[in-house]
Amino acid sequence: MRLFELHSSDAKLLRQNFDNAGRKVKIEMQDGYAGLKALLPPPPRRAVVLIDPPYEDKQDYMLSLT
């Protein structure tokens, strides 16, 4: 599993929560969209992508309600 987090404090929390996962989880502190583009398509040509939008800009939140 690859996890991307842009904010350093949140990336630190992710690392703490997945500390026991070993090499199965890789956490990268970078923009998730850019990191995802670098990984696609994966070698077996299939993947599942989950995106949790940041909603940091109030306009983004309003657009999701329409």
Side-chain angles (χ1 to χ4, degrees):
M1 176 169 41
R2 295 276 181 118
L3 302 173
F4 297 96
E5 178 55 55
L6 193 56
H7 299 289
S8 60
S9 58
D10 293 334
K12 182 179 176 183
L13 287 172
L14 275 174
R15 285 190 181 99
Q16 290 172 353
N17 285 319
F18 287 97
D19 192 31
N20 294 329
R23 295 179 3 191
K24 293 181 180 181
V25 177
K26 185 171 183 179
I27 300 166
E28 299 183 31
M29 198 175 88
Q30 68 170 330
D31 177 38
Y33 293 116
L36 182 62
K37 286 176 82 174
L39 294 174
L40 294 178
R45 301 281 189 230
R46 60 183 176 182
V48 173
V49 177
L50 302 174
I51 299 175
D52 179 21
Y55 295 119
E56 292 177 351
D57 185 359
K58 289 182 182 182
Q59 184 179 1
D60 290 343
Y61 180 73
M62 294 308 293
L63 289 173
S64 70
L65 293 177
T66 59

Short mmCIF file of all heavy atoms in Angstrom, two decimals:
data_model
loop_
_atom_site.label_atom_id
_atom_site.label_comp_id
_atom_site.label_asym_id
_atom_site.label_seq_id
_atom_site.Cartn_x
_atom_site.Cartn_y
_atom_site.Cartn_z
N MET A 1 0.84 -1.15 0.00
CA MET A 1 0.00 0.00 0.00
C MET A 1 0.90 1.23 0.00
O MET A 1 1.91 1.27 0.70
CB MET A 1 -0.91 0.00 1.24
CG MET A 1 -1.74 1.23 1.34
SD MET A 1 -3.08 1.21 2.57
CE MET A 1 -2.41 0.44 3.98
N ARG A 2 0.54 2.20 -0.81
CA ARG A 2 1.25 3.47 -0.85
C ARG A 2 0.34 4.55 -0.30
O ARG A 2 -0.82 4.66 -0.71
CB ARG A 2 1.61 3.85 -2.27
CG ARG A 2 2.59 2.94 -2.94
CD ARG A 2 4.01 3.33 -2.55
NE ARG A 2 4.94 2.46 -3.23
CZ ARG A 2 5.84 2.88 -4.09
NH1 ARG A 2 5.96 4.14 -4.37
NH2 ARG A 2 6.65 2.02 -4.66
N LEU A 3 0.84 5.33 0.63
CA LEU A 3 0.09 6.44 1.21
C LEU A 3 0.87 7.73 0.95
O LEU A 3 2.09 7.78 1.18
CB LEU A 3 -0.11 6.25 2.71
CG LEU A 3 -0.83 4.97 3.13
CD1 LEU A 3 -0.82 4.83 4.64
CD2 LEU A 3 -2.25 4.97 2.60
N PHE A 4 0.17 8.73 0.48
CA PHE A 4 0.79 10.02 0.21
C PHE A 4 0.17 11.08 1.12
O PHE A 4 -1.06 11.15 1.23
CB PHE A 4 0.57 10.44 -1.25
CG PHE A 4 1.19 9.50 -2.23
CD1 PHE A 4 0.45 8.49 -2.81
CD2 PHE A 4 2.53 9.63 -2.58
CE1 PHE A 4 1.01 7.62 -3.72
CE2 PHE A 4 3.11 8.75 -3.48
CZ PHE A 4 2.35 7.75 -4.05
N GLU A 5 1.01 11.86 1.75
CA GLU A 5 0.53 12.96 2.59
C GLU A 5 1.46 14.15 2.39
O GLU A 5 2.67 14.02 2.52
CB GLU A 5 0.50 12.55 4.06
CG GLU A 5 0.05 13.64 4.99
CD GLU A 5 -1.30 14.25 4.63
OE1 GLU A 5 -2.29 13.52 4.51
OE2 GLU A 5 -1.34 15.49 4.45
N LEU A 6 0.87 15.28 2.10
CA LEU A 6 1.66 16.48 1.80
C LEU A 6 2.11 17.21 3.07
O LEU A 6 3.19 17.78 3.12
CB LEU A 6 0.84 17.41 0.91
CG LEU A 6 1.57 18.56 0.24
CD1 LEU A 6 2.75 18.06 -0.59
CD2 LEU A 6 0.61 19.33 -0.65
N HIS A 7 1.29 17.16 4.11
CA HIS A 7 1.59 17.89 5.35
C HIS A 7 2.48 17.05 6.27
O HIS A 7 2.17 15.89 6.55
CB HIS A 7 0.31 18.29 6.06
CG HIS A 7 -0.56 19.18 5.23
ND1 HIS A 7 -0.23 20.48 4.97
CD2 HIS A 7 -1.73 18.94 4.60
CE1 HIS A 7 -1.17 21.02 4.21
NE2 HIS A 7 -2.09 20.10 3.96
N SER A 8 3.54 17.66 6.74
CA SER A 8 4.53 16.91 7.53
C SER A 8 3.95 16.35 8.82
O SER A 8 4.26 15.22 9.21
CB SER A 8 5.74 17.79 7.83
OG SER A 8 5.35 18.94 8.55
N SER A 9 3.09 17.09 9.52
CA SER A 9 2.54 16.60 10.78
C SER A 9 1.61 15.40 10.54
O SER A 9 1.61 14.43 11.31
CB SER A 9 1.79 17.71 11.52
OG SER A 9 0.75 18.23 10.72
N ASP A 10 0.84 15.44 9.47
CA ASP A 10 -0.04 14.31 9.15
C ASP A 10 0.74 13.10 8.65
O ASP A 10 0.39 11.96 8.93
CB ASP A 10 -1.10 14.72 8.14
CG ASP A 10 -2.08 15.74 8.69
OD1 ASP A 10 -2.27 15.76 9.92
OD2 ASP A 10 -2.63 16.53 7.91
N ALA A 11 1.81 13.35 7.91
CA ALA A 11 2.66 12.25 7.45
C ALA A 11 3.30 11.55 8.64
O ALA A 11 3.42 10.32 8.66
CB ALA A 11 3.73 12.77 6.49
N LYS A 12 3.68 12.32 9.63
CA LYS A 12 4.27 11.74 10.84
C LYS A 12 3.25 10.85 11.56
O LYS A 12 3.58 9.75 12.01
CB LYS A 12 4.74 12.86 11.78
CG LYS A 12 5.39 12.38 13.04
CD LYS A 12 5.84 13.54 13.90
CE LYS A 12 6.42 13.04 15.21
NZ LYS A 12 6.81 14.16 16.08
N LEU A 13 1.99 11.29 11.65
CA LEU A 13 0.95 10.48 12.27
C LEU A 13 0.70 9.19 11.49
O LEU A 13 0.50 8.13 12.07
CB LEU A 13 -0.35 11.28 12.38
CG LEU A 13 -0.37 12.38 13.43
CD1 LEU A 13 -1.63 13.23 13.29
CD2 LEU A 13 -0.27 11.78 14.81
N LEU A 14 0.71 9.28 10.17
CA LEU A 14 0.55 8.08 9.35
C LEU A 14 1.66 7.08 9.62
O LEU A 14 1.43 5.88 9.76
CB LEU A 14 0.54 8.44 7.86
CG LEU A 14 -0.78 8.88 7.27
CD1 LEU A 14 -0.58 9.35 5.84
CD2 LEU A 14 -1.81 7.78 7.33
N ARG A 15 2.88 7.58 9.69
CA ARG A 15 4.03 6.69 9.96
C ARG A 15 3.88 6.01 11.32
O ARG A 15 4.19 4.83 11.47
CB ARG A 15 5.33 7.47 9.88
CG ARG A 15 5.74 7.79 8.47
CD ARG A 15 7.15 8.36 8.39
NE ARG A 15 7.46 8.66 7.01
CZ ARG A 15 7.38 9.87 6.46
NH1 ARG A 15 7.01 10.90 7.19
NH2 ARG A 15 7.67 10.04 5.19
N GLN A 16 3.40 6.77 12.30
CA GLN A 16 3.21 6.18 13.63
C GLN A 16 2.12 5.11 13.61
O GLN A 16 2.26 4.06 14.23
CB GLN A 16 2.84 7.28 14.64
CG GLN A 16 3.98 8.21 14.96
CD GLN A 16 3.54 9.40 15.81
OE1 GLN A 16 2.36 9.59 16.07
NE2 GLN A 16 4.51 10.20 16.24
N ASN A 17 1.04 5.37 12.89
CA ASN A 17 -0.07 4.42 12.84
C ASN A 17 0.26 3.15 12.08
O ASN A 17 -0.28 2.08 12.37
CB ASN A 17 -1.31 5.07 12.23
CG ASN A 17 -1.98 6.02 13.18
OD1 ASN A 17 -2.09 5.74 14.37
ND2 ASN A 17 -2.43 7.15 12.68
N PHE A 18 1.14 3.24 11.09
CA PHE A 18 1.51 2.07 10.29
C PHE A 18 2.91 1.58 10.60
O PHE A 18 3.52 0.88 9.80
CB PHE A 18 1.39 2.41 8.79
CG PHE A 18 -0.03 2.51 8.32
CD1 PHE A 18 -0.64 3.75 8.22
CD2 PHE A 18 -0.74 1.38 7.98
CE1 PHE A 18 -1.95 3.85 7.79
CE2 PHE A 18 -2.05 1.47 7.56
CZ PHE A 18 -2.66 2.72 7.46
N ASP A 19 3.41 1.90 11.76
CA ASP A 19 4.78 1.55 12.15
C ASP A 19 5.01 0.04 12.15
O ASP A 19 6.07 -0.43 11.77
CB ASP A 19 5.09 2.12 13.53
CG ASP A 19 6.56 2.04 13.88
OD1 ASP A 19 7.40 2.12 12.95
OD2 ASP A 19 6.88 1.92 15.08
N ASN A 20 4.03 -0.74 12.52
CA ASN A 20 4.18 -2.19 12.60
C ASN A 20 3.88 -2.91 11.29
O ASN A 20 3.95 -4.13 11.23
CB ASN A 20 3.27 -2.75 13.70
CG ASN A 20 3.71 -2.27 15.07
OD1 ASN A 20 4.88 -2.04 15.31
ND2 ASN A 20 2.76 -2.11 15.97
N ALA A 21 3.53 -2.17 10.25
CA ALA A 21 3.16 -2.80 8.98
C ALA A 21 4.37 -3.28 8.18
O ALA A 21 4.22 -4.04 7.24
CB ALA A 21 2.34 -1.82 8.14
N GLY A 22 5.54 -2.82 8.54
CA GLY A 22 6.76 -3.26 7.84
C GLY A 22 6.82 -2.71 6.42
O GLY A 22 6.45 -1.58 6.16
N ARG A 23 7.27 -3.57 5.51
CA ARG A 23 7.46 -3.14 4.11
C ARG A 23 6.17 -3.17 3.30
O ARG A 23 6.18 -2.81 2.14
CB ARG A 23 8.51 -4.02 3.45
CG ARG A 23 9.86 -3.83 4.08
CD ARG A 23 10.96 -4.67 3.53
NE ARG A 23 10.63 -5.51 2.40
CZ ARG A 23 11.40 -6.46 1.92
NH1 ARG A 23 12.54 -6.69 2.50
NH2 ARG A 23 11.05 -7.17 0.88
N LYS A 24 5.07 -3.58 3.90
CA LYS A 24 3.80 -3.63 3.16
C LYS A 24 3.21 -2.25 2.92
O LYS A 24 2.39 -2.09 2.04
CB LYS A 24 2.79 -4.49 3.92
CG LYS A 24 3.17 -5.95 4.00
CD LYS A 24 2.12 -6.73 4.74
CE LYS A 24 2.51 -8.19 4.81
NZ LYS A 24 1.50 -8.97 5.51
N VAL A 25 3.60 -1.28 3.73
CA VAL A 25 3.07 0.08 3.62
C VAL A 25 4.22 1.04 3.42
O VAL A 25 5.20 1.03 4.17
CB VAL A 25 2.27 0.48 4.88
CG1 VAL A 25 1.80 1.91 4.79
CG2 VAL A 25 1.10 -0.45 5.11
N LYS A 26 4.11 1.88 2.40
CA LYS A 26 5.11 2.90 2.15
C LYS A 26 4.42 4.26 2.21
O LYS A 26 3.44 4.49 1.49
CB LYS A 26 5.77 2.70 0.79
CG LYS A 26 6.90 3.67 0.55
CD LYS A 26 7.68 3.32 -0.69
CE LYS A 26 8.84 4.28 -0.85
NZ LYS A 26 9.63 3.97 -2.02
N ILE A 27 4.91 5.13 3.06
CA ILE A 27 4.33 6.46 3.24
C ILE A 27 5.29 7.48 2.67
O ILE A 27 6.46 7.52 3.05
CB ILE A 27 4.05 6.73 4.73
CG1 ILE A 27 3.06 5.68 5.26
CG2 ILE A 27 3.51 8.14 4.93
CD1 ILE A 27 2.96 5.62 6.74
N GLU A 28 4.78 8.30 1.77
CA GLU A 28 5.60 9.31 1.12
C GLU A 28 5.01 10.69 1.38
O GLU A 28 3.81 10.89 1.26
CB GLU A 28 5.68 9.04 -0.38
CG GLU A 28 6.31 7.70 -0.68
CD GLU A 28 6.45 7.45 -2.16
OE1 GLU A 28 6.62 8.42 -2.92
OE2 GLU A 28 6.38 6.28 -2.55
N MET A 29 5.89 11.63 1.75
CA MET A 29 5.45 12.99 2.00
C MET A 29 5.57 13.79 0.70
O MET A 29 6.60 14.39 0.41
CB MET A 29 6.28 13.64 3.12
CG MET A 29 5.59 14.86 3.69
SD MET A 29 6.46 15.56 5.08
CE MET A 29 7.54 16.67 4.21
N GLN A 30 4.49 13.75 -0.08
CA GLN A 30 4.44 14.48 -1.34
C GLN A 30 2.99 14.58 -1.79
O GLN A 30 2.10 13.98 -1.20
CB GLN A 30 5.29 13.80 -2.41
CG GLN A 30 4.78 12.46 -2.88
CD GLN A 30 5.54 11.98 -4.10
OE1 GLN A 30 6.02 12.75 -4.90
NE2 GLN A 30 5.65 10.67 -4.24
N ASP A 31 2.77 15.33 -2.83
CA ASP A 31 1.45 15.47 -3.41
C ASP A 31 0.99 14.11 -3.94
O ASP A 31 1.69 13.47 -4.72
CB ASP A 31 1.48 16.51 -4.53
CG ASP A 31 0.15 16.67 -5.23
OD1 ASP A 31 -0.89 16.61 -4.54
OD2 ASP A 31 0.14 16.87 -6.45
N GLY A 32 -0.17 13.68 -3.52
CA GLY A 32 -0.67 12.36 -3.91
C GLY A 32 -0.95 12.22 -5.39
O GLY A 32 -0.74 11.16 -5.97
N TYR A 33 -1.44 13.28 -6.03
CA TYR A 33 -1.71 13.20 -7.46
C TYR A 33 -0.43 12.99 -8.26
O TYR A 33 -0.38 12.18 -9.17
CB TYR A 33 -2.43 14.46 -7.94
CG TYR A 33 -3.82 14.61 -7.38
CD1 TYR A 33 -4.13 15.67 -6.55
CD2 TYR A 33 -4.81 13.68 -7.67
CE1 TYR A 33 -5.41 15.81 -6.02
CE2 TYR A 33 -6.09 13.81 -7.14
CZ TYR A 33 -6.38 14.88 -6.32
OH TYR A 33 -7.63 15.00 -5.79
N ALA A 34 0.61 13.70 -7.89
CA ALA A 34 1.90 13.55 -8.58
C ALA A 34 2.50 12.17 -8.31
O ALA A 34 3.03 11.52 -9.21
CB ALA A 34 2.87 14.65 -8.15
N GLY A 35 2.43 11.73 -7.07
CA GLY A 35 2.96 10.42 -6.72
C GLY A 35 2.22 9.29 -7.40
O GLY A 35 2.81 8.31 -7.84
N LEU A 36 0.91 9.45 -7.51
CA LEU A 36 0.10 8.43 -8.16
C LEU A 36 0.41 8.31 -9.64
O LEU A 36 0.52 7.21 -10.18
CB LEU A 36 -1.38 8.75 -7.95
CG LEU A 36 -2.38 7.76 -8.52
CD1 LEU A 36 -2.22 6.40 -7.85
CD2 LEU A 36 -3.79 8.28 -8.34
N LYS A 37 0.57 9.44 -10.30
CA LYS A 37 0.89 9.42 -11.73
C LYS A 37 2.20 8.69 -12.01
O LYS A 37 2.34 8.02 -13.02
CB LYS A 37 0.97 10.85 -12.27
CG LYS A 37 -0.40 11.50 -12.41
CD LYS A 37 -0.26 12.93 -12.85
CE LYS A 37 -0.08 13.00 -14.34
NZ LYS A 37 -0.07 14.38 -14.84
N ALA A 38 3.14 8.79 -11.08
CA ALA A 38 4.43 8.12 -11.26
C ALA A 38 4.31 6.60 -11.10
O ALA A 38 5.13 5.85 -11.62
CB ALA A 38 5.44 8.66 -10.26
N LEU A 39 3.27 6.12 -10.42
CA LEU A 39 3.11 4.69 -10.15
C LEU A 39 2.20 3.97 -11.14
O LEU A 39 2.16 2.74 -11.16
CB LEU A 39 2.52 4.50 -8.75
CG LEU A 39 3.39 4.93 -7.58
CD1 LEU A 39 2.62 4.80 -6.29
CD2 LEU A 39 4.66 4.10 -7.53
N LEU A 40 1.46 4.71 -11.92
CA LEU A 40 0.50 4.08 -12.83
C LEU A 40 1.02 3.94 -14.24
O LEU A 40 1.71 4.81 -14.72
CB LEU A 40 -0.81 4.88 -12.85
CG LEU A 40 -1.57 4.89 -11.54
CD1 LEU A 40 -2.82 5.75 -11.67
CD2 LEU A 40 -1.95 3.49 -11.09
N PRO A 41 0.69 2.90 -14.94
CA PRO A 41 0.01 1.70 -14.46
C PRO A 41 0.99 0.79 -13.73
O PRO A 41 2.16 0.74 -14.09
CB PRO A 41 -0.49 1.05 -15.75
CG PRO A 41 0.49 1.47 -16.78
CD PRO A 41 0.96 2.84 -16.38
N PRO A 42 0.50 0.06 -12.73
CA PRO A 42 1.39 -0.87 -12.01
C PRO A 42 1.74 -2.06 -12.89
O PRO A 42 1.05 -2.34 -13.87
CB PRO A 42 0.54 -1.29 -10.81
CG PRO A 42 -0.86 -1.08 -11.25
CD PRO A 42 -0.85 0.08 -12.21
N PRO A 43 2.80 -2.80 -12.56
CA PRO A 43 3.23 -3.93 -13.39
C PRO A 43 2.13 -4.94 -13.72
O PRO A 43 2.01 -5.37 -14.86
CB PRO A 43 4.36 -4.57 -12.58
CG PRO A 43 4.90 -3.45 -11.76
CD PRO A 43 3.72 -2.56 -11.45
N PRO A 44 1.27 -5.34 -12.77
CA PRO A 44 0.24 -6.31 -13.15
C PRO A 44 -0.94 -5.69 -13.90
O PRO A 44 -1.91 -6.36 -14.21
CB PRO A 44 -0.21 -6.91 -11.82
CG PRO A 44 0.15 -5.92 -10.80
CD PRO A 44 1.33 -5.15 -11.33
N ARG A 45 -0.89 -4.41 -14.17
CA ARG A 45 -1.92 -3.69 -14.93
C ARG A 45 -3.28 -3.63 -14.23
O ARG A 45 -4.30 -3.58 -14.85
CB ARG A 45 -2.10 -4.28 -16.32
CG ARG A 45 -0.85 -4.26 -17.15
CD ARG A 45 -0.65 -2.86 -17.71
NE ARG A 45 0.44 -2.89 -18.68
CZ ARG A 45 1.44 -2.04 -18.66
NH1 ARG A 45 1.49 -1.10 -17.78
NH2 ARG A 45 2.38 -2.12 -19.57
N ARG A 46 -3.28 -3.67 -12.93
CA ARG A 46 -4.52 -3.45 -12.19
C ARG A 46 -4.17 -2.81 -10.85
O ARG A 46 -3.12 -3.05 -10.28
CB ARG A 46 -5.29 -4.75 -11.99
CG ARG A 46 -4.52 -5.78 -11.22
CD ARG A 46 -5.31 -7.05 -11.13
NE ARG A 46 -4.48 -8.05 -10.45
CZ ARG A 46 -4.86 -9.26 -10.24
NH1 ARG A 46 -6.03 -9.65 -10.64
NH2 ARG A 46 -4.07 -10.11 -9.63
N ALA A 47 -5.10 -1.99 -10.36
CA ALA A 47 -4.86 -1.29 -9.11
C ALA A 47 -6.18 -0.75 -8.57
O ALA A 47 -7.17 -0.63 -9.29
CB ALA A 47 -3.89 -0.12 -9.32
N VAL A 48 -6.18 -0.41 -7.31
CA VAL A 48 -7.29 0.27 -6.68
C VAL A 48 -6.74 1.59 -6.15
O VAL A 48 -5.71 1.62 -5.49
CB VAL A 48 -7.87 -0.56 -5.50
CG1 VAL A 48 -8.92 0.24 -4.76
CG2 VAL A 48 -8.43 -1.86 -6.01
N VAL A 49 -7.42 2.68 -6.47
CA VAL A 49 -6.99 4.00 -6.04
C VAL A 49 -8.10 4.64 -5.22
O VAL A 49 -9.23 4.75 -5.68
CB VAL A 49 -6.66 4.90 -7.25
CG1 VAL A 49 -6.28 6.29 -6.80
CG2 VAL A 49 -5.55 4.28 -8.08
N LEU A 50 -7.78 5.02 -4.01
CA LEU A 50 -8.71 5.75 -3.15
C LEU A 50 -8.15 7.15 -2.93
O LEU A 50 -6.99 7.29 -2.54
CB LEU A 50 -8.88 5.04 -1.81
CG LEU A 50 -9.38 3.60 -1.86
CD1 LEU A 50 -9.35 2.98 -0.48
CD2 LEU A 50 -10.77 3.54 -2.44
N ILE A 51 -8.97 8.16 -3.15
CA ILE A 51 -8.51 9.54 -2.99
C ILE A 51 -9.38 10.22 -1.94
O ILE A 51 -10.60 10.26 -2.07
CB ILE A 51 -8.57 10.30 -4.33
CG1 ILE A 51 -7.65 9.64 -5.34
CG2 ILE A 51 -8.21 11.77 -4.11
CD1 ILE A 51 -7.72 10.24 -6.73
N ASP A 52 -8.74 10.73 -0.93
CA ASP A 52 -9.41 11.50 0.11
C ASP A 52 -9.08 12.97 -0.16
O ASP A 52 -7.97 13.41 0.12
CB ASP A 52 -8.91 11.07 1.49
CG ASP A 52 -9.55 11.86 2.61
OD1 ASP A 52 -10.63 12.44 2.40
OD2 ASP A 52 -8.96 11.89 3.70
N PRO A 53 -10.02 13.74 -0.71
CA PRO A 53 -9.71 15.13 -1.05
C PRO A 53 -9.48 15.97 0.21
O PRO A 53 -10.08 15.72 1.25
CB PRO A 53 -10.96 15.61 -1.81
CG PRO A 53 -12.03 14.67 -1.43
CD PRO A 53 -11.39 13.38 -1.03
N PRO A 54 -8.59 16.96 0.12
CA PRO A 54 -8.22 17.73 1.30
C PRO A 54 -9.27 18.72 1.77
O PRO A 54 -9.35 19.02 2.94
CB PRO A 54 -6.95 18.46 0.87
CG PRO A 54 -7.05 18.56 -0.61
CD PRO A 54 -7.81 17.35 -1.05
N TYR A 55 -10.07 19.26 0.89
CA TYR A 55 -11.06 20.28 1.24
C TYR A 55 -10.45 21.44 2.03
O TYR A 55 -11.04 21.95 2.96
CB TYR A 55 -12.23 19.69 2.03
CG TYR A 55 -13.05 18.72 1.25
CD1 TYR A 55 -13.17 17.40 1.67
CD2 TYR A 55 -13.70 19.10 0.09
CE1 TYR A 55 -13.93 16.49 0.94
CE2 TYR A 55 -14.46 18.20 -0.64
CZ TYR A 55 -14.57 16.90 -0.21
OH TYR A 55 -15.31 16.01 -0.92
N GLU A 56 -9.23 21.82 1.69
CA GLU A 56 -8.59 22.94 2.38
C GLU A 56 -9.11 24.29 1.88
O GLU A 56 -9.12 25.26 2.60
CB GLU A 56 -7.09 22.86 2.23
CG GLU A 56 -6.53 21.68 2.99
CD GLU A 56 -5.04 21.52 2.81
OE1 GLU A 56 -4.46 22.21 1.95
OE2 GLU A 56 -4.47 20.70 3.52
N ASP A 57 -9.52 24.30 0.63
CA ASP A 57 -10.07 25.51 0.05
C ASP A 57 -11.60 25.41 0.17
O ASP A 57 -12.20 24.44 -0.28
CB ASP A 57 -9.66 25.62 -1.42
CG ASP A 57 -10.09 26.92 -2.07
OD1 ASP A 57 -10.75 27.74 -1.39
OD2 ASP A 57 -9.78 27.11 -3.25
N LYS A 58 -12.24 26.41 0.78
CA LYS A 58 -13.68 26.35 0.99
C LYS A 58 -14.44 26.19 -0.32
O LYS A 58 -15.50 25.58 -0.36
CB LYS A 58 -14.16 27.59 1.73
CG LYS A 58 -13.71 27.62 3.17
CD LYS A 58 -14.24 28.83 3.89
CE LYS A 58 -13.71 28.81 5.33
NZ LYS A 58 -14.19 29.92 6.10
N GLN A 59 -13.89 26.69 -1.40
CA GLN A 59 -14.54 26.56 -2.70
C GLN A 59 -14.58 25.08 -3.13
O GLN A 59 -15.55 24.63 -3.71
CB GLN A 59 -13.81 27.38 -3.75
CG GLN A 59 -14.49 27.35 -5.10
CD GLN A 59 -13.75 28.20 -6.12
OE1 GLN A 59 -12.73 28.80 -5.82
NE2 GLN A 59 -14.27 28.26 -7.32
N ASP A 60 -13.55 24.31 -2.82
CA ASP A 60 -13.54 22.88 -3.13
C ASP A 60 -14.69 22.17 -2.43
O ASP A 60 -15.34 21.31 -2.99
CB ASP A 60 -12.23 22.22 -2.71
CG ASP A 60 -11.06 22.65 -3.56
OD1 ASP A 60 -11.28 23.19 -4.66
OD2 ASP A 60 -9.92 22.43 -3.12
N TYR A 61 -14.93 22.52 -1.16
CA TYR A 61 -15.99 21.89 -0.41
C TYR A 61 -17.35 22.21 -1.02
O TYR A 61 -18.21 21.36 -1.15
CB TYR A 61 -15.94 22.33 1.05
CG TYR A 61 -17.02 21.71 1.89
CD1 TYR A 61 -16.97 20.37 2.24
CD2 TYR A 61 -18.10 22.46 2.34
CE1 TYR A 61 -17.97 19.80 3.01
CE2 TYR A 61 -19.10 21.90 3.10
CZ TYR A 61 -19.02 20.57 3.43
OH TYR A 61 -20.00 19.99 4.18
N MET A 62 -17.55 23.44 -1.42
CA MET A 62 -18.82 23.86 -2.00
C MET A 62 -19.07 23.14 -3.33
O MET A 62 -20.19 22.78 -3.63
CB MET A 62 -18.86 25.37 -2.19
CG MET A 62 -18.84 26.14 -0.86
SD MET A 62 -20.08 25.61 0.33
CE MET A 62 -21.56 26.11 -0.51
N LEU A 63 -18.03 22.91 -4.11
CA LEU A 63 -18.19 22.22 -5.38
C LEU A 63 -18.61 20.76 -5.18
O LEU A 63 -19.32 20.21 -5.99
CB LEU A 63 -16.89 22.28 -6.20
CG LEU A 63 -16.53 23.65 -6.77
CD1 LEU A 63 -15.16 23.60 -7.41
CD2 LEU A 63 -17.58 24.13 -7.76
N SER A 64 -18.16 20.16 -4.08
CA SER A 64 -18.50 18.75 -3.85
C SER A 64 -19.95 18.58 -3.41
O SER A 64 -20.51 17.50 -3.49
CB SER A 64 -17.58 18.15 -2.80
OG SER A 64 -17.85 18.70 -1.53
N LEU A 65 -20.58 19.65 -2.95
CA LEU A 65 -21.97 19.57 -2.52
C LEU A 65 -22.96 19.68 -3.67
O LEU A 65 -24.12 19.34 -3.53
CB LEU A 65 -22.26 20.68 -1.50
CG LEU A 65 -21.54 20.56 -0.17
CD1 LEU A 65 -21.84 21.75 0.72
CD2 LEU A 65 -21.91 19.28 0.55
N THR A 66 -22.49 20.15 -4.83
CA THR A 66 -23.41 20.31 -5.95
C THR A 66 -23.55 19.07 -6.78
O THR A 66 -22.82 18.16 -6.71
CB THR A 66 -22.94 21.46 -6.87
OG1 THR A 66 -21.64 21.16 -7.34
CG2 THR A 66 -22.96 22.76 -6.13
#
